[in-house]
Amino acid sequence: MLKLVALITAKPEISRADFIKHYETTHAPLVQSLLPMIAEYRRSYVDSSAASGAEPLSLGFDMMTELWFEDQDALDAFWIRIRTPEVIAQIRGDEAHFLISEATQLFQVDEHRSD
C-alpha cells in the first residue's frame, strides 16, 4: 500500500481535548466522506506532557495523520479529488475551526516494517 503522512498544528487558542474532539467527531468523518479512496486513516495526537525529558515537547505540530491507499490509481484519484474546488473548500472550511491549514505538511513516505 502507498502512504501519505500529514503533520498538523492546532490553533493555539483551542485546547488539546477540543482539538481531538473536533477532529474525531467532525473532521475525520468529513474527510472520509469526501475522499472514499483512502483505504486506512489513522490519527496520532502528540502528548507533549509525556515527553521523556524534563521539558514538554515542542515539535511544531500537534498530531500526525496517516493515509493509506491500495494502489497508485487510488492515490492518483485522491490527488485529483482533493484539488477539486468544492472538496478543498469543504475541508478548509472545517479546518478553520480548529487547525492552522497553512502549517500542515503533507508528504508521501516509504514505509518499512520489521516482522
mmCIF file of all heavy atoms in Angstrom, residues 7-8 16 19-20 43-51 56-64:
data_model
loop_
_atom_site.group_PDB
_atom_site.id
_atom_site.type_symbol
_atom_site.label_atom_id
_atom_site.label_comp_id
_atom_site.label_asym_id
_atom_site.label_seq_id
_atom_site.Cartn_x
_atom_site.Cartn_y
_atom_site.Cartn_z
ATOM 1 N N LEU A 7 1.496 16.250 9.010
ATOM 2 C CA LEU A 7 1.793 16.808 10.322
ATOM 3 C C LEU A 7 0.916 18.044 10.470
ATOM 4 O O LEU A 7 0.970 18.956 9.636
ATOM 5 C CB LEU A 7 3.273 17.158 10.442
ATOM 6 C CG LEU A 7 4.238 16.010 10.152
ATOM 7 C CD1 LEU A 7 5.676 16.489 10.244
ATOM 8 C CD2 LEU A 7 3.978 14.820 11.067
ATOM 9 N N ILE A 8 0.093 18.067 11.507
ATOM 10 C CA ILE A 8 -0.973 19.058 11.638
ATOM 11 C C ILE A 8 -0.815 19.835 12.940
ATOM 12 O O ILE A 8 -0.521 19.254 13.991
ATOM 13 C CB ILE A 8 -2.338 18.357 11.556
ATOM 14 C CG1 ILE A 8 -2.477 17.726 10.156
ATOM 15 C CG2 ILE A 8 -3.478 19.318 11.858
ATOM 16 C CD1 ILE A 8 -3.672 16.843 9.968
ATOM 17 N N ARG A 16 -6.269 20.962 23.750
ATOM 18 C CA ARG A 16 -5.949 19.650 23.160
ATOM 19 C C ARG A 16 -7.206 18.788 23.095
ATOM 20 O O ARG A 16 -7.482 18.144 22.085
ATOM 21 C CB ARG A 16 -4.855 18.961 23.977
ATOM 22 C CG ARG A 16 -4.422 17.615 23.420
ATOM 23 C CD ARG A 16 -3.245 17.042 24.224
ATOM 24 N NE ARG A 16 -2.694 15.868 23.573
ATOM 25 C CZ ARG A 16 -3.121 14.627 23.793
ATOM 26 N NH1 ARG A 16 -4.094 14.393 24.651
ATOM 27 N NH2 ARG A 16 -2.568 13.607 23.144
ATOM 28 N N PHE A 19 -9.471 20.035 20.360
ATOM 29 C CA PHE A 19 -8.861 19.719 19.066
ATOM 30 C C PHE A 19 -9.145 18.266 18.694
ATOM 31 O O PHE A 19 -9.619 17.966 17.599
ATOM 32 C CB PHE A 19 -7.348 19.991 19.140
ATOM 33 C CG PHE A 19 -6.602 19.602 17.898
ATOM 34 C CD1 PHE A 19 -6.676 20.368 16.755
ATOM 35 C CD2 PHE A 19 -5.786 18.479 17.888
ATOM 36 C CE1 PHE A 19 -5.972 20.020 15.607
ATOM 37 C CE2 PHE A 19 -5.066 18.121 16.751
ATOM 38 C CZ PHE A 19 -5.165 18.895 15.612
ATOM 39 N N ILE A 20 -8.873 17.362 19.621
ATOM 40 C CA ILE A 20 -9.103 15.940 19.367
ATOM 41 C C ILE A 20 -10.582 15.670 19.123
ATOM 42 O O ILE A 20 -10.947 14.953 18.183
ATOM 43 C CB ILE A 20 -8.569 15.084 20.530
ATOM 44 C CG1 ILE A 20 -7.042 15.173 20.586
ATOM 45 C CG2 ILE A 20 -9.023 13.629 20.398
ATOM 46 C CD1 ILE A 20 -6.415 14.573 21.835
ATOM 47 N N ARG A 43 -5.025 8.593 13.061
ATOM 48 C CA ARG A 43 -4.637 9.867 13.646
ATOM 49 C C ARG A 43 -3.909 9.601 14.955
ATOM 50 O O ARG A 43 -4.397 8.844 15.786
ATOM 51 C CB ARG A 43 -5.870 10.744 13.875
ATOM 52 C CG ARG A 43 -6.388 11.240 12.543
ATOM 53 C CD ARG A 43 -7.858 11.233 12.301
ATOM 54 N NE ARG A 43 -8.756 10.421 13.056
ATOM 55 C CZ ARG A 43 -9.294 9.285 12.593
ATOM 56 N NH1 ARG A 43 -8.966 8.805 11.415
ATOM 57 N NH2 ARG A 43 -10.163 8.616 13.315
ATOM 58 N N SER A 44 -2.751 10.232 15.123
ATOM 59 C CA SER A 44 -1.955 10.092 16.342
ATOM 60 C C SER A 44 -1.704 11.485 16.901
ATOM 61 O O SER A 44 -1.113 12.333 16.223
ATOM 62 C CB SER A 44 -0.617 9.410 16.048
ATOM 63 O OG SER A 44 -0.821 8.116 15.520
ATOM 64 N N TYR A 45 -2.151 11.715 18.127
ATOM 65 C CA TYR A 45 -2.054 13.021 18.765
ATOM 66 C C TYR A 45 -0.840 13.068 19.686
ATOM 67 O O TYR A 45 -0.655 12.186 20.522
ATOM 68 C CB TYR A 45 -3.334 13.316 19.550
ATOM 69 C CG TYR A 45 -4.548 13.325 18.646
ATOM 70 C CD1 TYR A 45 -5.282 12.166 18.434
ATOM 71 C CD2 TYR A 45 -4.922 14.480 17.977
ATOM 72 C CE1 TYR A 45 -6.380 12.161 17.584
ATOM 73 C CE2 TYR A 45 -6.018 14.483 17.125
ATOM 74 C CZ TYR A 45 -6.739 13.329 16.929
ATOM 75 O OH TYR A 45 -7.816 13.324 16.079
ATOM 76 N N VAL A 46 -0.025 14.106 19.542
ATOM 77 C CA VAL A 46 1.156 14.266 20.373
ATOM 78 C C VAL A 46 0.722 14.606 21.798
ATOM 79 O O VAL A 46 -0.116 15.480 22.012
ATOM 80 C CB VAL A 46 2.068 15.394 19.827
ATOM 81 C CG1 VAL A 46 3.233 15.656 20.761
ATOM 82 C CG2 VAL A 46 2.551 15.057 18.425
ATOM 83 N N ASP A 47 1.303 13.897 22.756
ATOM 84 C CA ASP A 47 1.085 14.193 24.171
ATOM 85 C C ASP A 47 2.395 14.769 24.692
ATOM 86 O O ASP A 47 3.277 14.039 25.121
ATOM 87 C CB ASP A 47 0.681 12.929 24.933
ATOM 88 C CG ASP A 47 0.373 13.206 26.391
ATOM 89 O OD1 ASP A 47 0.573 14.364 26.845
ATOM 90 O OD2 ASP A 47 -0.049 12.273 27.081
ATOM 91 N N SER A 48 2.526 16.089 24.619
ATOM 92 C CA SER A 48 3.786 16.732 24.989
ATOM 93 C C SER A 48 4.097 16.580 26.473
ATOM 94 O O SER A 48 5.251 16.688 26.880
ATOM 95 C CB SER A 48 3.776 18.207 24.596
ATOM 96 O OG SER A 48 2.735 18.882 25.278
ATOM 97 N N SER A 49 3.097 16.297 27.287
ATOM 98 C CA SER A 49 3.349 16.123 28.714
ATOM 99 C C SER A 49 4.014 14.783 29.007
ATOM 100 O O SER A 49 4.544 14.575 30.091
ATOM 101 C CB SER A 49 2.045 16.231 29.507
ATOM 102 O OG SER A 49 1.196 15.130 29.202
ATOM 103 N N ALA A 50 3.995 13.865 28.053
ATOM 104 C CA ALA A 50 4.575 12.542 28.248
ATOM 105 C C ALA A 50 5.986 12.441 27.671
ATOM 106 O O ALA A 50 6.484 11.369 27.430
ATOM 107 C CB ALA A 50 3.676 11.487 27.616
ATOM 108 N N ALA A 51 6.630 13.594 27.451
ATOM 109 C CA ALA A 51 7.977 13.608 26.888
ATOM 110 C C ALA A 51 8.962 12.945 27.840
ATOM 111 O O ALA A 51 8.793 12.983 29.058
ATOM 112 C CB ALA A 51 8.412 15.047 26.609
ATOM 113 N N PRO A 56 8.516 19.887 28.340
ATOM 114 C CA PRO A 56 7.499 19.388 27.392
ATOM 115 C C PRO A 56 8.017 19.479 25.952
ATOM 116 O O PRO A 56 8.812 20.358 25.630
ATOM 117 C CB PRO A 56 6.318 20.337 27.592
ATOM 118 C CG PRO A 56 6.562 21.004 28.898
ATOM 119 C CD PRO A 56 8.052 21.012 29.110
ATOM 120 N N LEU A 57 7.572 18.576 25.117
ATOM 121 C CA LEU A 57 7.966 18.578 23.707
ATOM 122 C C LEU A 57 7.438 19.817 22.995
ATOM 123 O O LEU A 57 6.340 20.281 23.275
ATOM 124 C CB LEU A 57 7.404 17.348 22.997
ATOM 125 C CG LEU A 57 8.038 16.016 23.301
ATOM 126 C CD1 LEU A 57 7.251 14.904 22.606
ATOM 127 C CD2 LEU A 57 9.476 15.967 22.867
ATOM 128 N N SER A 58 8.195 20.311 22.057
ATOM 129 C CA SER A 58 7.760 21.383 21.180
ATOM 130 C C SER A 58 8.189 20.998 19.774
ATOM 131 O O SER A 58 9.275 21.347 19.322
ATOM 132 C CB SER A 58 8.373 22.714 21.595
ATOM 133 O OG SER A 58 7.951 23.722 20.708
ATOM 134 N N LEU A 59 7.359 20.225 19.099
ATOM 135 C CA LEU A 59 7.701 19.671 17.796
ATOM 136 C C LEU A 59 7.288 20.550 16.627
ATOM 137 O O LEU A 59 7.705 20.312 15.503
ATOM 138 C CB LEU A 59 7.041 18.290 17.640
ATOM 139 C CG LEU A 59 7.430 17.240 18.661
ATOM 140 C CD1 LEU A 59 6.559 15.998 18.491
ATOM 141 C CD2 LEU A 59 8.896 16.894 18.536
ATOM 142 N N GLY A 60 6.408 21.505 16.871
ATOM 143 C CA GLY A 60 5.905 22.332 15.788
ATOM 144 C C GLY A 60 4.653 21.765 15.139
ATOM 145 O O GLY A 60 4.137 22.322 14.186
ATOM 146 N N PHE A 61 4.154 20.643 15.652
ATOM 147 C CA PHE A 61 2.885 20.081 15.198
ATOM 148 C C PHE A 61 2.242 19.355 16.376
ATOM 149 O O PHE A 61 2.912 19.035 17.361
ATOM 150 C CB PHE A 61 3.056 19.158 13.980
ATOM 151 C CG PHE A 61 3.909 17.942 14.224
ATOM 152 C CD1 PHE A 61 3.323 16.747 14.627
ATOM 153 C CD2 PHE A 61 5.280 17.976 14.048
ATOM 154 C CE1 PHE A 61 4.102 15.616 14.849
ATOM 155 C CE2 PHE A 61 6.068 16.859 14.257
ATOM 156 C CZ PHE A 61 5.473 15.673 14.664
ATOM 157 N N ASP A 62 0.942 19.122 16.267
ATOM 158 C CA ASP A 62 0.185 18.535 17.377
ATOM 159 C C ASP A 62 -0.351 17.140 17.098
ATOM 160 O O ASP A 62 -0.774 16.453 18.025
ATOM 161 C CB ASP A 62 -0.987 19.460 17.743
ATOM 162 C CG ASP A 62 -0.487 20.806 18.218
ATOM 163 O OD1 ASP A 62 0.129 20.848 19.297
ATOM 164 O OD2 ASP A 62 -0.676 21.803 17.493
ATOM 165 N N MET A 63 -0.352 16.758 15.854
ATOM 166 C CA MET A 63 -0.814 15.410 15.514
ATOM 167 C C MET A 63 -0.281 14.994 14.166
ATOM 168 O O MET A 63 0.141 15.823 13.370
ATOM 169 C CB MET A 63 -2.335 15.293 15.578
ATOM 170 C CG MET A 63 -3.128 16.121 14.604
ATOM 171 S SD MET A 63 -3.549 15.280 13.086
ATOM 172 C CE MET A 63 -4.632 14.022 13.654
ATOM 173 N N MET A 64 -0.297 13.674 13.972
ATOM 174 C CA MET A 64 0.156 13.090 12.712
ATOM 175 C C MET A 64 -0.999 12.253 12.166
ATOM 176 O O MET A 64 -1.586 11.444 12.887
ATOM 177 C CB MET A 64 1.371 12.202 12.954
ATOM 178 C CG MET A 64 1.874 11.525 11.709
ATOM 179 S SD MET A 64 3.316 10.480 12.014
ATOM 180 C CE MET A 64 2.575 9.134 12.911
#
